[in-house]
Amino acid sequence: MDQDVTQGHYARLAATYDENWVYSPAFVEWMTGCIQRLLRIGPGDVVADVGCGTGLYARGLAEYASAVVCAEPSAAMLARVPRDGRLIPVAASAEDLASGRVPLPHEGYDAILLKEVLHHVSDRAAVIAGLAGLLRPGGRMLVAMLPTRISYPLFPAALELFASQQPDPAGIAELMRAAGMQAELTCDSFPLTFPAERYLQMVRNRYMSLLSHFDDDELAAGVALIRRAHPGEEISFPDTIAFILGTAA
Ligand SMILES: C[S@@+](CC[C@H](N)C(=O)[O-])C[C@H]1O[C@@H](n2cnc3c(N)ncnc32)[C@H](O)[C@@H]1O
């Protein structure tokens, strides 16, 4: 995605980002549980959450780790990471860390999380290889991302744009293997239900960066299509997430 569009999107979204998911604390709890089950963070572990956003998941992971470095290029998102001794904010992109342009505060990492970030990265091979170099032996890297096809209730143009832009999770696993890690791809789903108006307001707020490609009129027309397809009081859909776990030798 164009870097200016991405930066403008997250600068606008920062203030309301947590509301989208805090509406469903059960979702955040489920996702944190999935991440912890795969990353197996233990006391004494040093973790980096790359593209941490507001630290929505770093907060939960900090309960298991000795420190979670929260790296994020959007100043507006990073400013929302809670002030907590175990959450260490670092203003940096994945590319900054992978190339060593911005050094991280610890020598080696036991776990690195990239949740819904890699679609913003152009040279994913270089970023995955560079970040793999920050892992200690046996360290884990977890990429959590949407699959290429999603069943979100969006309008057709948005779904088509999504499918054309989203990287393939199987390709991410290949990049991890090329970077010298063992890699395993799994998927898991969580059933989401929103009051219809609440969900439509999230779409109007462009809660997904993808929606920043549509102007106000296109978005209003899209919301009308969604409403027609979902006339009830609630909108339900499964949120399926692909998890790619890499383990360093
Ligand atoms: C969909 S949000 C996910 C935030 C967080 N990981 C979560 O799951 O709540 C994507 C985040 O990636 C950040 N981002 C965009 N480009 C990035 C890059 N090149 N490197 C690292 N993070 C990036 C955005 O600023 C935004 O905070």
Side-chain angles (χ1 to χ4, degrees), residues 10 17 51-53 57 72-74 77 93-95 115-117 120:
Y10 287 109
Y17 184 82
C52 67
Y57 300 98
E72 168 60 47
S74 162
M77 296 291 270
S93 67
E95 292 88 336
K115 182 180 165 292
E116 292 187 74
V117 170
H120 292 309

Side-chain angles (χ1 to χ4, degrees), residues 161-247:
L161 182 62
F162 179 84
S164 73
Q165 289 186 340
Q166 183 67 357
D168 183 356
I172 302 297
E174 280 309 312
L175 295 180
M176 285 185 176
R177 291 183 192 112
M181 289 182 276
Q182 285 188 345
E184 196 183 341
L185 165 61
T186 52
C187 286
D188 215 333
S189 292
F190 184 89
L192 287 174
T193 296
F194 295 94
E197 191 42 45
R198 169 82 191 183
Y199 176 77
L200 296 175
Q201 194 52 41
M202 282 163 56
V203 175
R204 287 187 200 102
N205 287 346
R206 298 180 170 85
Y207 81 105
M208 295 177 81
S209 56
L210 160 93
L211 296 169
S212 290
H213 290 273
F214 297 93
D215 66 25
D216 289 350
D217 290 344
E218 290 167 334
L219 205 57
V223 166
L225 286 178
I226 299 172
R227 196 57 181 133
R228 211 169 303 146
H230 299 272
E233 283 181 14
E234 291 187 333
I235 294 185
S236 299
F237 58 99
D239 199 1
T240 300
I241 306 287
F243 295 97
I244 310 106
L245 178 68
T247 307

